[in-house]
Amino acid sequence: MSNLFRQLLKKVGSGNHTGENLTRAEAATATKMMLLGEATPAQIGAFLIAHRIKRPTPEELAGMLDAYNELGPKLQPIAAERPVIVLGIPYDGRTRTAPISPIIALLLAAVGQPVIMHGGDRLPTKYGLPLAEIWQGLGVDWTTLPLVKTQQILEKTGIGFVYAPKHFPLNQSIWDYRDQLGKRPPLATMELIWCPYAGDVHIIPGFVHPPTEALFQETLALQNVTKYTLVKGLEGSCDLPRDRTAIIGLSSNTGVLERLHLAPRDYGFTTKNVPLETTAELLSEMQEVLAGKPTELMQTALWNGGFHLWRSGISPDMRSGIAKASELLTTGVAAAKLQELTQVVNSQEESTLKAT
C-alpha cells in the first residue's frame, strides 16, 4: 500500500464537509501513481469513483494532463502552415449515431490541414464503435504501427492516429477499473482534451454536459492552450448534430469564450441525424460519400466538413466551406487522400514487418 496515495485518496474521498480538492501537483502525482501501478488496486478503484462523485476541478484536470504529458506519447512537430488539429473524441465510441470524423480528417488533410486523432479499441462504459475500427474498415490499420511510423505517416499525408493500446500501454490498466466500476472517471473527461502532439495545435474536443465546456476552457488555459473549439456534439464527440442547433465555443485572443450557434436548417440541411445501424452499413455509407453520392451521410459530411474548413481558416465562411467540402468529395479529392493514406500506411507496415 502507498501511504502517499492514501493521503491523496483521503482528500478527494472525505465527503462534502471535510473533503478537499487536490492541487495540480497532487493530481499529477496521483495520476502517475495509478498509471505506474504504485497504488494498490483497492486504492485506485476507490480514488476513481470518489473523484467522479466529487467532480474534478480545472487544476486537477491540468495535473492529470501533466502526468499524461510526462508518461505518454507525443508526435513531434511537423512543417505546416496552420496549427495541427487534434480531435478529442470519447474513447468508448459510438452506439446511436453514425460518426463522420474520419471523413472530415480526409477532407482537411486533402487541402493541407493536418489532423491527429487518438483512441483505442471497444472500451467501457459504452463499448461503442471506436475510431480505430472505422479506419480499419476503410483500409487503414493504425493498430500495428509504432509511434515513429505514425510520425512518418503524419508528415507524408497530414493524418496521424495515436493508438493508445500500443503507444500508451500504461493507460490501458485504467480501463480495467473503469469496466469494473461501470462509470466514467474524470480521466475519461480529461482524455478528450489530451494532446499527443508537441507542436502548434488547435484542439477540438466534444462534450455532452454544459458545465464541461467551462471546465475544459479553464483547464486548457492552465495548459497554455490558446487555440481550441468546444463542440456539444453527437454522443460527446465533435461531430455537429443535425437534429438541433449546434452549440459551439470558440477560443479568442481575449481569452473570453465566443459563442456560436449553427442551425442546420439555415444552411439547407434536414434536421435528422444518420443512425448507426451496423459497422458494415456505416463503412458502405462512408464509401458512398467518398464516391460523391448524394446520401444522408453525405449531408452530415457536408455539414461538418463545411464547419471545419471554415474554422481552420481554409474557407472564409460556412457556406463556402460547405461548397468546398462538396467539391472535395464529388471530384474524388478526398477519396484520393484515402488511397494515398492507405498506400503509405501499408508500406510502413511492410517495412515494420521486415525490421522485425
Side-chain angles (χ1 to χ4, degrees):
M1 182 186 73
S2 168
N3 288 324
L4 172 57
F5 194 87
R6 184 170 181 266
Q7 294 304 312
L8 299 175
L9 174 57
K10 286 175 64 177
K11 290 188 71 171
V12 300
S14 293
N16 293 334
H17 297 296
T18 59
E20 300 177 59
N21 295 324
L22 300 181
T23 66
R24 179 172 176 174
E26 287 173 334
T29 297
T31 303
K32 286 190 288 185
M33 294 182 75
M34 289 188 290
L35 292 173
L36 296 172
E38 295 173 355
T40 68
Q43 288 178 320
I44 294 173
F47 184 92
L48 293 175
I49 199 67
H51 205 211
R52 174 187 168 83
I53 294 170
K54 183 189 78 68
R55 301 299 182 185
T57 66
E59 290 77 12
E60 289 172 337
L61 284 190
M64 292 177 176
L65 287 170
D66 291 341
Y68 270 51
N69 290 336
E70 179 181 339
L71 298 177
K74 284 279 186 182
L75 291 168
Q76 296 306 302
I78 63 172
E81 294 183 6
R82 301 177 184 85
V84 170
I85 286 176
V86 175
L87 298 177
I89 297 169
Y91 277 29
D92 57 2
R94 298 278 280 274
T95 58
R96 302 187 305 275
T97 54
I100 201 64
S101 52
I103 300 291
I104 302 308
L106 293 169
L107 283 174
L108 291 172
V111 290
Q113 171 60 66
V115 180
I116 294 172
M117 310 171 91
H118 54 99
D121 300 314
R122 289 184 180 260
L123 297 168
T125 54
K126 284 166 60 177
Y127 291 100
L129 178 63
L131 291 170
E133 197 170 315
I134 299 172
W135 279 115
Q136 285 175 324
L138 293 174
V140 181
D141 188 358
W142 298 98
T143 66
T144 63
L145 301 173
L147 193 67
V148 64
K149 300 299 183 182
T150 302
Q151 177 77 38
Q152 294 168 3
I153 294 165
L154 174 63
E155 292 170 354
K156 290 180 180 180
T157 69
I159 299 178
F161 190 95
V162 174
Y163 178 61
K166 188 172 185 67
H167 300 149
F168 196 7
L170 289 176
N171 182 40
Q172 295 309 294
S173 63
I174 301 299
W175 288 96
D176 293 333
Y177 292 97
R178 178 167 161 180
D179 185 26
Q180 294 173 42
L181 294 172
K183 291 293 183 180
R184 291 165 52 92
L187 285 170
T189 301
M190 178 274 297
E191 69 198 7
L192 293 171
I193 52 174
W194 175 47
C195 179
Y197 179 69
D200 190 17
V201 70
H202 177 180
I203 295 179
I204 307 182
F207 68 92
V208 175
H209 304 295
T212 305
E213 185 182 56
L215 181 64
F216 280 173
Q217 183 186 13
E218 294 179 44
T219 303
L220 291 172
L222 292 170
Q223 287 284 317
N224 296 316
V225 175
T226 58
K227 182 75 170 177
Y228 53 84
T229 302
L230 310 178
V231 180
K232 192 176 188 297
L234 292 175
E235 298 184 56
S237 75
C238 45
D239 289 356
L240 271 62
R242 285 171 54 194
D243 63 339
R244 59 175 171 81
T245 296
I247 301 172
I248 303 161
L250 310 176
S251 60
S252 67
N253 294 331
T254 63
V256 177
L257 194 71
E258 296 182 358
R259 175 66 60 228
L260 176 66
H261 293 95
L262 292 175
R265 66 177 67 86
D266 292 344
Y267 296 88
F269 295 104
T270 58
T271 55
K272 177 171 82 169
N273 295 322
V274 178
L276 175 60
E277 303 292 350
T278 66
T279 302
E281 288 182 54
L282 172 68
L283 293 171
S284 176
E285 291 168 350
M286 284 187 164
Q287 293 291 359
E288 289 181 337
V289 170
L290 291 168
K293 296 183 179 180
T295 63
E296 276 299 316
L297 194 62
M298 171 66 88
Q299 297 301 299
T300 300
L302 296 178
W303 176 230
N304 281 269
F307 169 73
H308 286 287
L309 287 166
W310 163 67
R311 179 59 176 152
S312 61
I314 293 167
S315 298
D317 54 49
M318 272 290 294
R319 295 190 185 281
S320 59
I322 292 167
K324 183 67 174 178
S326 178
E327 174 192 335
L328 294 171
L329 289 167
T330 57
T331 60
V333 174
K337 173 56 70 171
L338 176 59
Q339 183 177 15
E340 175 199 1
L341 178 62
T342 303
Q343 291 173 345
V344 173
V345 169
N346 288 338
S347 67
Q348 293 293 338
E349 286 179 339
E350 291 174 5
S351 64
T352 299
L353 289 172
K354 290 178 181 178
T356 56

